[in-house]
Amino acid sequence: MSEVVAHWIAESRIAIEQTRLLALHAAHTLDTKGNKAARKQIGMIKVAAGRMATKVVDCAIQVHGGAGVSDDFPLAQMYAYARTLRLADGPDEVHLSSIAQMELRDQLRRTAAKL
């Protein structure tokens, strides 16, 4: 195995774990504080999960070369499905705008509370 492929595997594992932990944090916030309090975390997981899945499958396609997009492996279908996740509940940009707005509001409240 080449060092590049080893790095892709490691980076993919890291991305999967980061996304899993973000999903668990969103679920915990949803369970303990309700859906209004979890809106920012839910938006973040919608962006992060789709991006992670697309990136991991893209690395797998790259490793397999031309075979990665052939009918011999399910990777092309997996990529199409992962890419669809990024559009199904609104494009990433919509979620990013909402996340930014909520983050700025939260930071403003924290700053005002300190004054």
Side-chain angles (χ1 to χ4, degrees):
M1 170 175 30
S2 76
E3 189 171 4
V4 171
V5 173
H7 286 188
W8 287 344
I9 291 169
E11 288 173 6
S12 294
R13 182 73 249 160
I14 291 166
I16 291 166
E17 281 301 307
Q18 287 173 329
T19 305
R20 185 184 70 80
L21 291 171
L22 185 58
L24 289 172
H25 178 64
H28 176 72
T29 303
L30 186 61
D31 288 345
T32 59
K33 297 180 182 176
N35 61 348
K36 187 174 181 180
R39 282 183 61 218
K40 185 167 54 171
Q41 287 82 12
I42 292 168
M44 288 190 290
I45 195 59
K46 286 178 179 180
V47 172
R51 286 182 175 181
M52 177 275 301
T54 304
K55 177 66 177 160
V56 169
V57 174
D58 184 64
C59 286
I61 289 171
Q62 190 70 21
V63 168
H64 286 81
V69 291
S70 73
D71 290 335
D72 295 337
F73 297 97
L75 296 172
Q77 289 175 316
M78 292 168 76
Y79 185 85
Y81 179 75
R83 187 64 180 97
T84 302
L85 285 176
R86 294 178 63 190
L87 300 171
D89 196 26
D92 288 354
E93 292 76 15
V94 171
H95 296 299
L96 292 170
S97 294
S98 296
I99 294 163
Q101 185 178 19
M102 288 182 271
E103 181 64 22
L104 291 171
R105 183 194 65 220
D106 291 348
Q107 292 301 322
L108 181 62
R109 285 183 184 155
R110 286 185 186 125
T111 303
K114 290 180 181 178
L115 299 177

